Amino acid sequence: MSADDDLTLMVVHATDCDVGVDAARVQEVIPLERWTGEAALDLVQLAGAAAAEGAVRILVVARPGREPLAALVSGVVSLRHVARAELLAVPAPLAAHVRWVSHVVVSDGKPPLLVLDAERLAA
Amino acid sequence: MSVGVVPAKLHDVWFVVPASAVQEILGEQRWVPIAGAPAEMPGVIAWRGRAVAVLDLGPLSGMGGLPPGESRRRTIVVHVDDATLALPVDGVREVQEVPDEAVRKAQLTRLRHAAMEVELDGVPMPIIELGELLRTLAPAPAA
């Protein structure tokens, strides 16, 4: 399997799922106390969970043709490698309602992973 | 002429879906809740290498939605318009062929998106209009 067949995601843990951001798009990881930009989007809250204890950081996520997205994460941030074939696109009827998730990954023995759709999120 | 229907049960209430829409009947399926999704379409299941939206009839029938982490014993996968949907239910019976004249306007059943009903073994069951339901939940984007 080539590297192109895999995607590396920066992952934070919510209550019943993980939320991932394409690591290749993460330009910077900044401690919250050093963040001077506008209000960031809380990824764990977006996933419907309470913030985890631990360090709070801002992931600066590149978006083609737009300002980068500032995503706030709390707790452990880990890397998870998934095969692109495992990425299941959110079906159209649901995508009309849920603009923050592009794909889901369902693997046996692991929490489901929701992949952030940085491009469809409002600025 | 006759029409094929698949009777299914949610809690203690029976309803039918058109057999022509049914792709597969599965057992209990793990589903993935997605925050921000409507109660009637709260998440997805993985089916045949893709994600399929879960259509929960509970909120539509006043019986409450499917809580995250819980599932139902059977899952009916249906194809309607251009979409595939997964309906978690508590029970399913075999396909029934009913004569056209047995399909009548809903008189004894009351369920949103079910204007018609049939009576099977003495039990009136609403016929879920999946296309109308889908168009209500996920209207096509304006051209």
Side-chain angles (χ1 to χ4, degrees):
Chain A
M1 183 180 286
S2 73
D4 286 347
D5 294 330
D6 281 348
L7 184 68
T8 301
L9 298 158
M10 297 187 82
V11 169
V12 291
H13 309 285
T15 308
D16 297 316
C17 65
D18 289 346
V19 180
V21 181
D22 181 355
R25 290 194 172 199
V26 178
Q27 296 174 321
E28 286 184 276
V29 180
I30 303 170
L32 179 62
E33 57 271 19
R34 286 180 40 210
W35 174 245
T36 56
E38 58 193 41
L41 187 72
D42 188 328
L43 281 196
V44 176
Q45 196 173 58
L46 199 60
E53 291 185 2
V56 182
R57 307 178 183 91
I58 302 292
L59 307 184
V60 181
V61 184
R63 295 189 290 185
R66 295 175 67 182
E67 288 293 307
L69 173 74
L72 183 147
V73 298
S74 52
V76 175
V77 179
S78 53
L79 290 179
R80 184 165 159 183
H81 305 277
V82 298
R84 288 188 188 274
E86 287 184 278
L87 293 170
L88 309 180
V90 172
L94 201 49
H97 297 278
V98 182
R99 300 182 65 83
W100 69 277
V101 182
S102 64
H103 295 82
V104 300
V105 177
V106 183
S107 311
D108 287 340
K110 291 183 180 175
L113 171 61
L114 307 181
V115 180
L116 183 75
D117 191 341
E119 290 178 36
R120 289 181 71 220
L121 275 172
Chain B
M1 295 290 285
S2 65
V3 60
V5 295
V6 175
K9 185 174 74 166
L10 192 58
H11 302 288
D12 293 327
V13 176
W14 285 94
F15 61 90
V16 302
V17 294
S20 57
V22 176
Q23 302 291 298
E24 192 170 356
I25 295 172
L26 308 169
E28 190 167 332
Q29 295 294 302
R30 177 189 183 197
W31 67 284
V32 179
I34 301 182
E40 299 87 350
M41 206 181 281
V44 297
I45 68 163
W47 181 72
R48 296 186 184 176
R50 59 193 167 122
V52 168
V54 170
L55 177 61
D56 184 8
L57 296 173
L60 292 166
S61 52
M63 288 186 274
L66 189 58
E70 292 186 18
S71 51
R72 298 194 180 112
R73 292 180 58 208
R74 296 280 183 268
T75 304
I76 306 174
V77 180
V78 297
H79 189 76
V80 52
D81 295 343
D82 290 328
T84 304
L85 305 166
L87 283 65
V89 295
D90 295 311
V92 181
R93 282 165 50 187
E94 68 276 15
V95 176
Q96 308 276 311
E97 290 292 331
V98 295
D100 282 346
E101 56 270 24
V103 176
R104 65 190 183 210
K105 194 171 177 185
Q107 299 165 351
L108 302 174
T109 60
R110 290 286 182 276
L111 187 66
R112 274 191 289 163
H113 309 290
M116 308 297 284
E117 68 185 14
V118 293
E119 196 165 308
L120 297 173
D121 299 329
V123 179
M125 301 181 189
I127 304 172
I128 305 289
E129 293 171 20
L130 293 166
E132 182 195 303
L133 177 53
L134 178 64
R135 287 187 288 276
T136 301
L137 291 175

